Amino acid sequence: MLLPGYTLRTGSGLDRALLVKFMQRTYQELYPEQDFSHLALTVEQYFSNKTPLWWVDLKDEADSTFYPPPFTRHPSPVGCLWVGNAIDQPSGDRHAHIFLVYVAPEHRRRGIGEALVSHAEAWAKERGDHQIALQVFVQNQPALNLYQKLGYQTQSLWMLKLLQPNQE
């Protein structure tokens, strides 16, 4: 159990489309006018058995809609966590990287995001990682607040410059 009223279940390779949908929700909150159809390619390239995925379901819905295999079906999740690997460039050590933490707006501020990050940290420790990293947009203040509260610190800055096309 994740938190009272919620359950955590492991995703599978069959969840690619749902993962894309949750990624699109995340980015559309920050950039509502953008088209994020390209995220399907990101999932296609990076989602594997080495990059685990977990879903957060409402416990009541989960209890009432789970059937024994092969008839198992799941309720619509209210959150997700997707993690994978990165390499620390100065040391060369592999470490865990949080690709996505998402909680539906109506379920936020209940501790789900914090519980998901704690789950990712436990997963990383279990496999022997000594650090965990993530990327967060500077305009996503609620996420920044959560990560700082949990002890995450800025290690580097990702800098971006827009290039203008050649004008001849």
Side-chain angles (χ1 to χ4, degrees):
M1 186 158 69
L2 181 71
L3 289 169
Y6 297 93
T7 61
L8 188 66
R9 65 179 162 88
T10 304
S12 76
L14 301 174
D15 293 329
R16 290 178 187 278
L18 189 56
L19 177 55
V20 170
K21 180 178 173 182
F22 272 66
M23 290 178 72
Q24 289 172 334
R25 286 181 185 173
T26 299
Y27 290 112
Q28 284 173 335
E29 285 184 27
L30 296 171
Y31 305 101
E33 302 303 317
Q34 294 278 15
D35 172 25
F36 291 103
S37 57
H38 65 276
L39 293 174
L41 181 58
T42 300
V43 170
E44 185 62 36
Q45 288 180 342
Y46 295 104
F47 184 48
S48 74
N49 61 354
K50 294 181 182 180
T51 62
L53 173 66
W54 292 274
W55 298 107
V56 177
D57 297 317
L58 286 171
K59 186 169 179 5
D60 292 341
E61 286 185 33
D63 289 344
S64 66
T65 59
F66 277 57
Y67 299 95
F71 305 107
T72 302
R73 62 181 186 139
H74 298 286
S76 182
V78 299
C80 73
L81 168 66
W82 182 28
V83 298
N85 304 300
I87 301 297
D88 181 69
Q89 296 307 308
S91 71
D93 294 337
R94 180 208 70 202
H95 63 87
H97 184 86
I98 298 174
F99 293 136
L100 178 66
V101 173
Y102 180 80
V103 178
E106 61 274 17
H107 294 275
R108 292 181 184 160
R109 306 207 47 84
R110 298 179 188 185
I112 297 171
E114 185 172 343
L116 287 172
V117 172
S118 293
H119 186 77
E121 291 172 2
W123 174 82
K125 286 178 189 175
E126 185 177 299
R127 68 184 202 144
D129 290 344
H130 299 288
Q131 64 186 23
I132 189 167
L134 55 85
Q135 178 182 325
V136 60
F137 289 101
V138 294
Q139 68 268 38
N140 191 345
Q141 196 60 52
L144 283 166
N145 293 342
L146 171 64
Y147 300 136
Q148 289 169 347
K149 173 185 160 192
L150 295 175
Y152 286 75
Q153 300 172 1
T154 302
Q155 178 186 25
S156 65
L157 296 174
W158 181 39
M159 299 177 74
L160 180 70
K161 177 182 178 181
L162 297 178
L163 301 175
Q164 301 297 322
N166 290 337
Q167 296 183 7
E168 295 179 26

